[in-house]
Amino acid sequence: MQEIPKGANVSLTALSEDAGAVVVSLGWSSASGAGDADVSVLLLDENGKVRDENDFYFYNNPAAADGSVQLLGKVPTDNGDEDRISVDLTAVPEGVARIVVAASRYAGARFGDLDDLRMTVADRSGEPLVGYSIDDAGVETAFIFGELYRRGEEWKFRAVGQGYETGLAGLATDFGIPVLEDSEDSEEAKETGLAGEEEPVEAAAPAESPAAEPAGEPAAEPTSQPTSQPEPAPAPAEAAAPVAVPAQTRGRGPRTTRKKVTLPRVAKKSLAENESWSQARLFPAPSLKSDREREVRATSVLLSVMAQVPEFGRRLTAGFGAPAGRMQTFTEVSLPHGDTPRRPDGVIRVERAGKLWTALVETKTNGNPLKAEQVQAYMDIAARRGYEAVITLSNDVALEGRPMVEVKVDGRRKHKVSLWHLSWAEVAHQAQMLIRHEGVGNAAHAWLLQELLEYLRHEQSGCHGFQNMGAAWVPVRKGIEDETLGLGDARTVEVVESWERLIRQVCLRLGGELGQKALPVQRARRGSDPQARRVSAADRLCVDGKLSAELRVDGTSSVIAVSADLRTSKVRTTVDVPAPEGAYPLVMVKRLLKLLAEAPADLHVESLLGAEPGAGPGAGAGPGSGPRGTLERLRPEPGDLLPVDGSAVVGFRLSLLKGVGNTRGNAESGFIRSVDEAVERFYHGVVAHLGPVEGRGGRRG
């Protein structure tokens, strides 16, 4: 990957032959684990202005109708998470000259509070092409990280690094987008209905913007070396007609700017006489008897829905470098391979502008592992036939930088084949996000996705996500109980890796319910060794018998700590709530208890004294711990939560305990199900009620 300084530019075409579609990544880290920003993309014409409202993409409008831009959202990485954006440069309208990639913070937070600000651009195969770091951020609340722009027949990348102290409003105004002032927002939101939920409707096809005539640009530069001075942008002519775009307000909601169809969260009353009546389904599962039948059925069901629901197919393949175009899918295709033809479970083909993108699909269900020799054969076939990717599907959740199977790549071959992995939990998450929160084009597409979800959730489908802690789980747990487990035991690292996979699946399920990304929190600087971090966690497991993790729901500042104590067979979920400044102690406690009126009575509440609770709930109570008690005891006597010596209360720690199962699988008493249920109960029973305190502003136009 080529590193360039701020202000430099480089030709993407010169860096890769696969630069027709790229994935842009924005990343940062924070000591608290809660630092975050919202990513946005603007398509600009030759005058440096948006052409209309459809040229602005953000969390409420994550995808272009033509597939040129797709916000993929936050993706967990070994050092935290990063926002990724798929840009199909071949699908960008001719009238677009520049693609600006920016981010903005909210609630007074500044980019100087974040560390490791960085932007990278990868080609279709996932190979990083160019990157640069921003090390001079300060009081800015919005940042243009970089831009992709046309020069003749090629696309180039410029490292911009321009900040705005005026936030999203200042950035948007520069590109012809007026943002409503906060003082006007509440009334206008009521008038336009933006403060509430939209009724599901069938979306009308968006009108196409007339494409501008391509301006005559100088010939492309023959070298890909970055220059020290940025190329001058075209002088602005007549400004484009301004359009209103979302501004910050309370209550971020996962709605789109275009009206889309969603399904109600609560199903209509059934007309069945009793519970023994089974509703007819498009994709029946009860008759499946063997693993082979499950694999064939699951592959056919998924690929057929991907081809019929464009938003869903694009959502799953955009991150794999697929272009935006007409998709067709196939199953059980016979392909020559030596003396014995091979039959991959499926094939995905996307056509755009006469060019084909092809991926072979290998599927496993019911917890069966992927086989390295099978995947290797498909990688070899794809390389020989000029296909672009091999996609594996299984219940396992992949860790960033850790392939599910090891394959060998022949470096002598010019054609590159990418290997990608999807878990069934990720497939279900994306389907749920579309039909429950973001919406799809019409009611038929929503129904198809609902039928897909019903199939994946059926006990006979075998597509239940990560469901086994691995072969090392039982001996490690027994070693902890018997106190015979020693430091350096390699099996403890395997258990830590399985724990990371479990937490990622918990995040997928929680995020699907909420309509927001839920992500694991890593308090590590970029470039740190993830394996060393896992070894350290394994050593802590040997010493104290606990597995610990933290997660955060996108759009909130609360960090939820999850700790599984294998000695006591209990899982603890915890969140820290900072105390409002200047509030009277007793009034503050009563306000907290009022917010927790619907929380479980066995919730533990603890006062935090002295220093701010910045270390996070996963770090333990520490010397600042104060009085504590359950909600059941504190409700009639809120003063019991105040220290008798008058020490200052700087926050509260809320915790719930739940017993965990002993089995390693997905039975009702299983460990995986126990952790999943503990997080779900804690979020909906506790954290969700802290919205008035912890919630951050959304946006409205």
Side-chain angles (χ1 to χ4, degrees):
M1 180 173 63
Q2 183 171 343
E3 291 288 332
I4 63 174
K6 176 179 175 179
N9 58 77
V10 63
S11 167
L12 296 179
T13 310
L15 293 178
S16 172
E17 297 179 355
D18 261 346
V22 297
V23 174
V24 177
S25 300
L26 303 186
W28 44 77
S29 62
S30 68
S32 67
D36 196 13
D38 285 335
V39 169
S40 53
V41 177
L42 301 98
L43 306 188
L44 308 180
D45 59 17
E46 288 290 341
N47 299 318
K49 306 294 182 182
V50 295
R51 300 169 303 163
D52 56 42
E53 63 180 358
N54 295 326
D55 284 344
F56 180 71
Y57 301 97
F58 59 111
Y59 68 83
N60 266 356
N61 182 35
D66 58 13
S68 57
V69 176
Q70 172 82 56
L71 270 60
L72 303 176
K74 289 180 171 57
V75 179
T77 67
D78 283 328
N79 301 131
D81 56 73
E82 61 185 21
D83 261 288
R84 293 181 182 172
I85 306 148
S86 172
V87 182
D88 186 352
L89 298 174
T90 64
V92 175
E94 288 293 330
V96 174
R98 296 161 57 199
I99 303 172
V100 171
V101 180
S104 56
R105 303 205 69 190
Y106 36 84
R110 298 181 263 185
F111 276 93
D113 302 328
L114 300 177
D115 300 317
D116 306 319
L117 291 169
R118 182 166 175 79
M119 177 176 182
T120 59
V121 180
D123 65 10
R124 190 191 304 274
S125 69
E127 184 72 24
L129 301 179
V130 60
Y132 90 104
S133 299
I134 299 174
D135 53 13
D136 58 351
V139 298
E140 299 88 353
T141 53
F143 242 101
I144 297 177
F145 278 67
E147 64 180 17
L148 305 170
Y149 63 99
R150 297 183 193 266
R151 274 297 178 266
E153 297 298 320
E154 69 173 347
W155 283 91
K156 304 187 76 173
F157 167 70
R158 178 185 291 122
V160 178
Q162 177 184 349
Y164 291 78
E165 294 183 34
T166 50
L168 179 65
L171 185 152
T173 302
D174 273 7
F175 300 116
I177 308 174
V179 178
L180 298 176
E181 296 294 334
D182 288 344
S183 60
E184 303 171 1
D185 282 347
S186 57
E187 289 302 319
E188 295 195 28
K190 293 177 183 177
E191 294 173 5
T192 58
L194 292 172
E197 293 293 328
E198 290 180 351
E199 291 295 326
V201 296
E202 183 164 335
E208 295 184 1
S209 303
E213 289 295 323
E217 292 287 349
E221 298 175 16
T223 175
S224 65
Q225 295 298 320
T227 61
S228 58
Q229 297 295 328
E231 296 180 17
E238 185 179 353
V243 295
V245 301
Q248 287 187 345
T249 123
R250 183 170 297 280
R252 163 174 173 168
R255 297 180 295 104
T256 58
T257 55
R258 303 183 189 94
K259 292 184 178 180
K260 296 290 187 89
V261 175
T262 59
L263 296 181
R265 299 187 185 186
V266 180
K268 294 181 180 179
K269 182 180 178 181
S270 174
L271 301 181
E273 286 187 4
N274 54 62
E275 294 182 357
S276 66
W277 287 27
S278 298
Q279 185 174 347
R281 290 293 175 197
L282 182 64
F283 309 120
S287 61
L288 301 175
K289 302 249 190 289
S290 68
D291 287 340
R292 181 59 185 160
E293 286 181 309
R294 292 186 181 92
E295 289 177 9
V296 172
R297 177 72 61 83
T299 306
S300 182
V301 168
L302 173 63
L303 296 189
S304 63
V305 175
M306 287 175 62
Q308 294 303 316
V309 184
E311 299 97 329
F312 183 59
R314 180 65 181 152
R315 177 69 62 89
L316 291 183
T317 59
F320 301 157
R326 184 173 68 98
M327 177 182 292
Q328 281 193 348
T329 54
F330 310 86
T331 59
E332 297 296 313
V333 175
S334 179
L335 298 172
H337 182 65
D339 297 332
T340 307
R342 294 284 184 145
R343 288 180 177 271
D345 293 313
V347 177
I348 302 172
R349 295 204 109 169
V350 182
E351 179 192 36
R352 181 169 188 87
K355 296 182 179 180
L356 289 175
W357 179 91
T358 307
L360 304 181
V361 180
E362 170 63 8
T363 302
K364 294 295 180 185
T365 59
N366 217 30
N368 292 317
L370 294 161
K371 296 179 180 178
E373 61 272 16
Q374 279 186 319
V375 179
Q376 182 69 66
Y378 297 144
M379 290 288 288
D380 294 339
I381 292 172
R384 286 198 306 269
R385 300 180 70 86
Y387 298 162
E388 283 72 24
V390 173
I391 301 172
T392 57
L393 263 164
S394 74
N395 284 337
D396 280 330
V397 178
L399 299 180
E400 186 75 11
R402 297 289 301 275
M404 295 304 303
V405 291
E406 296 288 344
V407 296
K408 297 179 180 178
V409 178
D410 190 346
R412 296 171 297 179
R413 285 191 173 128
K414 184 178 180 181
H415 182 73
K416 292 187 296 183
V417 178
S418 304
L419 178 60
W420 306 97
H421 180 75
L422 268 177
S423 71
W424 287 111
E426 174 72 14
V427 172
H429 168 83
Q430 298 294 359
Q432 190 170 18
M433 287 291 290
L434 283 171
I435 64 172
R436 295 283 181 244
H437 307 289
E438 297 175 9
V440 290
N442 58 58
H445 290 170
W447 176 71
L448 278 174
L449 286 177
Q450 178 62 41
E451 290 298 301
L452 171 65
L453 269 179
E454 292 293 336
Y455 176 83
L456 296 179
R457 292 168 176 168
H458 196 283
E459 60 182 7
Q460 287 293 327
S461 71
C463 305
H464 304 126
F466 180 72
Q467 57 184 353
N468 197 305
M469 290 294 288
W473 172 247
V474 172
V476 166
R477 187 161 186 173
K478 182 171 176 54
I480 290 173
E481 293 172 353
D482 299 341
E483 298 186 2
T484 59
L485 194 65
L487 290 173
D489 192 322
R491 295 174 299 181
T492 59
V493 178
E494 295 180 34
V495 170
V496 168
E497 290 179 350
S498 294
W499 171 252
E500 287 189 27
R501 290 187 171 96
L502 170 56
I503 293 300
R504 294 197 176 185
Q505 176 164 285
V506 168
C507 289
L508 286 172
R509 288 180 176 172
L510 180 62
E513 292 179 14
L514 302 176
Q516 307 285 2
K517 281 279 189 179
L519 298 158
V521 172
Q522 296 291 355
R523 301 176 187 272
R525 292 190 68 85
R526 191 175 306 279
S528 59
D529 184 5
Q531 192 59 24
R533 173 172 50 80
R534 294 186 181 109
V535 170
S536 177
D539 289 342
R540 292 195 300 272
L541 174 61
C542 293
V543 173
D544 58 24
K546 295 180 181 178
L547 290 165
S548 300
E550 293 177 314
L551 59 93
R552 176 180 56 82
V553 175
D554 186 27
T556 70
S557 59
S558 300
V559 174
I560 301 172
V562 186
S563 177
D565 192 329
L566 304 188
R567 288 177 177 156
T568 63
S569 294
K570 291 186 182 298
V571 59
R572 177 187 293 269
T573 44
T574 307
V575 68
D576 281 0
V577 181
E581 294 184 6
Y584 289 105
L586 186 57
V587 174
M588 182 170 54
V589 172
K590 289 182 177 180
R591 181 186 179 193
L592 175 67
L593 297 182
K594 184 177 180 180
L595 291 175
L596 298 173
E598 302 298 324
D602 59 341
L603 176 71
H604 288 248
V605 184
E606 175 187 357
S607 297
L608 298 177
L609 311 178
E612 293 287 343
S625 59
R628 67 186 70 185
T630 63
L631 269 185
E632 185 177 28
R633 183 175 69 83
L634 293 171
R635 279 168 176 157
E637 297 293 341
D640 289 353
L641 206 53
L642 299 177
V644 294
D645 61 358
S647 298
V649 176
V650 297
F652 303 94
R653 181 159 293 161
L654 313 179
S655 304
L656 269 182
L657 291 171
K658 175 181 171 57
V660 300
N662 293 315
T663 60
R664 63 177 180 175
N666 66 339
E668 190 65 37
S669 60
F671 176 77
I672 291 175
R673 186 180 295 272
S674 299
V675 174
D676 209 349
E677 290 176 349
V679 174
E680 182 178 7
R681 179 181 182 232
F682 186 67
Y683 186 88
H684 292 292
V686 180
V687 179
H689 299 295
L690 303 175
V693 177
E694 291 298 314
R696 85 165 188 231
R699 284 141 176 82
R700 60 179 179 270

